[in-house]
Amino acid sequence: MTELRPLDAGFVELEDSDRHISLGIGVVAILAGPPPSRAEFTATLAERLAVDPRLRQRMRRTTLDLAIPSWEEDPAFDIAHHVRWIALPEPSDEDALCDVVAGEVADRLDRDHPLWRCTVVERLAGDRWAILLMAHHSVLDGVSGIGLLTGFCDPRAAAETPSATADSADGGSSADWYRRMMSLARLPIDLPLGTIRTVRGLLPVMSAFLSATEGSTLIGAIGQQRRYTVTRAALDDIREIGHAFDATVNDVVLAVITAGYRALLLHRGEDPTPDKLRILVPVSTRAADAKSVLDNRVSAVLPLLPVHVGDPVERLAVISGRMRQHKARGEAAAESSLLGLAGLLPFAPLGWAVRLVARLPQNRVTAVATNVPGPRAPLTFAGRAVLELLPIVPIAVRLRTGIAILSYTDQLTFGLTGDYDTVPDLRVIAAGIDSAVAELLRAARAA
């Protein structure tokens, strides 16, 4: 047996703290042509389970939950436990597919067996079908999830994935900052640099959690049902915008997401004040040689997004500046160091602490947005071309919406998850994203 890593176990505790949430993350692969037969599909998938032994392991917990959970071989492993097969009703369009995705997001994975599920969706309009791959967040993060999907696809198409679009959270100014502070304080220069960075990075992180966000309909109690929708942008357009305004791809993505939430707030008659939208942005800490290892290797930053800024170019400039500050201050590095320290502490108090925090009515963070780099080269499964990849992110801890962003070949896809009862207007965010991309592209070409 292998113990879960602290962050992996934390996702289990978080799900256990609230019966309304399911912490499965996933991706939808839309494929061309007719699907294979059930026997052919199952046989192909079974052959490729060797991509990681975790796929045959279930989670084992002690009776009193005093020890960290462990992975153990499932003695009754049967791939039939993990494969579903459904057909879309007429008109079999994208809306119907999104309804299926919403149902899968809300449906918890079976703890008696390995925590993953594959749903084949037949009769998608346009002579297409889909594979909906879901796994528990304790098993993988966004990057390793794409690695898993790629491992399931045909070997010749298992192309190299790009390096993470998120920049390193530890900016080049960290060492300079350290030396200056050591010199001013007349402290030995050989103190652990990682410790200093952690302390420095923790200050803004703790400030973010202690600074309440002004009341908003974006956060609050959530139910068990979900909504899901998607929108898309050309990756070349996003890069063109970034090049024109000296911004990263991540900066542009956050800028158009900010515009989406600004549109939603205005649609609801809410004033988009400067403190209205603090967003959780995961940052991958995964090395290039570990992209397919099934676990979580992420940190995070918590920037306030300028929903109060109406001009799209000014909004992008504000976000670029803020993200540079977050990275220079080492906030993501501090979060990562905290996860390392957590591994040295007994699991029981950590688990109880996670459950306690999850039950507190947090009013600081209002949304989550995760940007994952996908495969550069086209994929195939059983000889069928993968046309698109649609990302899926869960919601929890009073966050009523979440956005997953995934690149694949020349397209960037935004997958939006929302609480069913409190976010009936989820598509307003998608429309706001579309408008913002068009506005920024016009401004970039004019510049």
Side-chain angles (χ1 to χ4, degrees):
M1 293 188 295
T2 304
E3 288 185 345
L4 274 69
R5 294 159 60 100
L7 181 56
D8 303 341
F11 286 119
V12 176
E13 297 301 317
L14 183 59
E15 186 178 75
D16 286 346
S17 70
D18 188 347
R19 64 182 178 83
H20 295 108
I21 65 173
S22 171
L23 289 184
I25 63 174
V27 62
V28 181
I30 298 179
L31 299 97
S37 67
R38 297 186 68 160
E40 180 186 353
F41 178 87
T42 303
T44 301
L45 195 63
E47 289 175 0
R48 296 171 184 176
L49 289 182
V51 68
D52 197 285
R54 186 74 72 242
L55 299 174
R56 292 178 176 269
Q57 295 173 347
R58 65 182 183 182
M59 187 180 65
R60 178 180 181 273
R61 306 204 64 169
T62 61
T63 304
L64 299 178
D65 290 349
L66 296 178
I68 193 166
S70 300
W71 299 116
E72 66 175 5
E73 290 296 316
D74 181 1
F77 179 81
D78 183 346
I79 195 170
H81 286 141
H82 304 274
V83 177
R84 295 180 177 179
W85 204 280
I86 64 174
L88 289 181
E90 294 294 338
S92 307
D93 55 7
E94 186 167 277
D95 287 345
L97 178 62
C98 286
D99 287 343
V100 170
V101 174
E104 290 289 314
V105 173
D107 189 10
R108 287 189 172 188
L109 291 153
D110 183 1
R111 295 274 186 94
D112 291 334
H113 300 287
L115 296 173
W116 64 276
R117 179 171 65 228
C118 190
T119 303
V120 176
V121 184
E122 289 188 286
R123 299 179 188 173
L124 181 58
D127 190 27
R128 298 173 299 162
W129 60 291
I131 300 172
L132 201 171
L133 179 62
M134 296 288 297
H136 197 275
H137 216 327
S138 62
V139 177
L140 47 74
D141 57 20
V143 173
S144 57
I146 295 303
L148 176 60
L149 174 70
T150 303
F152 280 165
C153 288
D154 296 338
R156 63 181 179 83
E160 177 189 3
T161 56
S163 58
T165 54
D167 300 310
S168 169
D170 185 15
S173 61
S174 294
D176 294 336
W177 178 93
Y178 168 75
R179 294 188 183 95
R180 289 196 304 270
M181 294 305 295
M182 293 302 97
S183 175
L184 289 172
R186 291 185 170 86
L187 293 176
I189 199 70
D190 59 350
L191 284 177
L193 179 58
T195 301
I196 302 298
R197 288 173 177 168
T198 298
V199 173
R200 178 169 65 104
L202 274 177
L203 296 177
V205 172
M206 295 305 296
S207 175
F209 275 106
L210 295 174
S211 301
T213 303
E214 184 177 319
S216 172
T217 58
L218 298 178
I219 50 177
I222 60 177
Q224 191 169 359
Q225 290 182 282
R226 300 288 176 262
R227 296 179 187 269
Y228 180 80
T229 192
V230 296
T231 191
R232 304 161 177 86
L235 194 52
D236 284 344
D237 290 347
I238 300 297
R239 289 173 176 149
E240 182 178 348
I241 294 167
H243 179 74
F245 298 113
D246 192 26
T248 67
V249 168
N250 273 350
D251 294 341
V252 178
V253 167
L254 287 177
V256 300
I257 287 173
T258 304
Y261 277 103
R262 175 181 168 84
L264 180 65
L265 291 170
L266 293 174
H267 171 75
R268 294 178 175 182
E270 290 189 50
D271 186 15
T273 55
D275 61 349
K276 187 72 76 171
L277 183 63
R278 185 179 293 280
I279 196 162
L280 173 66
V281 182
V283 177
S284 177
T285 60
R286 189 176 295 272
D289 60 353
K291 291 189 180 299
S292 299
V293 178
L294 297 190
D295 58 18
N296 285 271
R297 303 190 187 188
V298 294
S299 183
V301 291
L302 296 162
L304 270 170
L305 298 187
V307 287
H308 63 292
V309 178
D311 180 79
V313 177
E314 181 184 353
R315 188 186 304 130
L316 175 58
V318 172
I319 287 173
S320 295
R322 289 183 181 177
M323 292 306 293
R324 281 193 293 269
Q325 290 175 358
H326 281 286
K327 285 176 283 190
R329 290 195 301 239
E331 293 171 33
E335 294 283 349
S336 183
S337 298
L338 278 181
L339 294 175
L341 292 173
L344 303 177
L345 300 175
F347 173 72
L350 284 176
W352 296 333
V354 169
R355 295 190 188 192
L356 175 61
V357 170
R359 286 183 168 87
L360 295 176
Q362 73 89 14
N363 295 297
R364 282 82 179 174
V365 183
T366 46
V368 59
T370 176
N371 188 3
V372 178
R376 289 192 185 99
L379 302 172
T380 62
F381 180 88
R384 281 80 167 173
V386 177
L387 306 175
E388 285 191 276
L389 296 178
L390 314 181
I392 306 166
V393 64
I395 54 175
V397 290
R398 293 167 57 83
L399 303 184
R400 290 173 168 171
T401 58
I403 302 179
I405 308 99
L406 176 64
S407 59
Y408 174 56
T409 60
D410 58 354
Q411 181 171 284
L412 200 63
T413 302
F414 299 77
L416 290 74
T417 304
D419 177 56
Y420 187 88
D421 293 319
T422 59
V423 195
D425 44 6
L426 184 64
R427 291 182 180 177
V428 174
I429 304 178
I433 291 172
D434 292 341
S435 297
V437 171
E439 290 173 345
L440 284 170
L441 192 59
R442 286 194 297 267
R445 290 173 177 172

